[in-house]
Amino acid sequence: MRVARTDLVGGIPAPLARELMRAYRHARPTSDIRHWVPSDPRPESEIAQSLADLGLLEHPCLSDDEEPWWQTTIAGNALAQASFRRPIKRATAERHLTAVIERAEEFNANPKYLVDIVQLAVFGSYLNPDVDQLGDLDLWVILKSRLPDDLDRGERTTRRLNYAYRTGRKFRQFMDVLTWADDEAVLYLRHQSPVINITRQDITEFAARWDVVYTLAEASNP
């Protein structure tokens, strides 16, 4: 996503909106919004709705006390990774794509991780050969847990939590601990690159086209 640092997104300065999108990649309650925009005079619900109207947030569920929870859409994830940098050339994006595929192969070959990278697909402006200046490289990743299928839900949760806590990382929210194994794979693929946008959401209902560039099965059986 191409956005300038001086832009307003739903009435929020773009840098703050980006941080908000990063926080809401996992579902959070409406009240959490205040943490990222403490000086915005609007009610949290109004802020959330303005972002939803832009297609950046969706409303997946209610909490036990019926407080609305929100989560980023594909567009919201793209904003979460916006770099406020100048566009990149297609040749640069192609080099990044080659490197991401190599990292997927490296990740899957390492037995220490808790998930497999099953598929990578590219979508967005990269697929238009007439566009040479790209805002970023948009990728869709599908992950699969390496935990045995016969584990019950409680045991799977326990193993995921133990795996995350063993890293010694500090997590802001419990959900961040629970999803660390998946987040770790995405971070490995991105390799701290500000021009790579990776989503785990199913893009088939939103993107007109996507091209699969890597699958675990093909990598295992060249």
Side-chain angles (χ1 to χ4, degrees), residues 5-166:
R5 185 177 294 275
T6 55
D7 287 347
L8 290 177
V9 180
I12 302 170
L16 293 180
R18 180 179 65 176
E19 294 306 311
L20 191 87
M21 293 301 104
R22 288 175 176 176
Y24 275 80
R25 276 188 267 199
H26 307 306
R28 292 178 182 271
T30 308
S31 55
D32 279 5
I33 288 176
R34 185 58 61 196
H35 177 78
W36 285 273
V37 286
S39 61
D40 195 310
R42 296 173 295 172
E44 292 92 333
S45 58
E46 184 178 332
I47 298 171
Q49 190 58 56
S50 69
L51 296 170
D53 291 342
L54 293 173
L56 300 173
L57 289 180
E58 59 186 0
H59 177 37
C61 62
L62 295 173
S63 63
D64 292 340
D65 59 1
E66 297 190 352
E67 179 181 5
W69 283 48
W70 300 86
Q71 187 171 5
T72 49
T73 61
I74 291 174
N77 284 336
L79 176 57
Q81 298 189 51
S83 64
F84 309 125
R85 295 164 58 96
R86 290 180 296 178
I88 60 172
K89 291 185 177 296
R90 175 169 296 277
T92 301
E94 289 171 349
R95 290 197 297 272
H96 278 292
L97 181 58
T98 298
V100 169
I101 293 171
E102 291 174 352
R103 289 195 290 272
E105 294 171 344
E106 294 169 357
F107 187 94
N108 284 335
N110 195 325
K112 77 174 186 178
Y113 298 114
L114 211 59
V115 300
D116 279 317
I117 298 168
V118 176
Q119 179 178 291
L120 280 170
V122 62
F123 65 101
S125 57
Y126 182 90
L127 297 180
N128 185 347
D130 297 327
V131 176
D132 186 60
Q133 299 288 319
L134 310 177
D136 47 29
L137 176 64
D138 295 310
L139 296 170
W140 172 32
V141 63
I142 297 177
L143 306 174
K144 183 179 185 299
S145 174
R146 289 178 177 176
L147 294 175
D149 292 336
D150 58 356
L151 291 180
D152 62 34
R153 183 176 179 180
E155 180 60 24
R156 296 176 73 85
T157 297
T158 297
R159 293 200 186 187
R160 275 183 167 265
L161 295 177
N162 289 340
Y163 178 82
Y165 287 132
R166 282 197 299 269

Side-chain angles (χ1 to χ4, degrees), residues 169-181:
R169 294 174 63 92
K170 292 183 179 180
F171 297 95
R172 183 174 289 176
Q173 299 285 337
F174 174 76
M175 184 59 69
D176 298 333
V177 184
L178 192 59
T179 62
W180 167 244

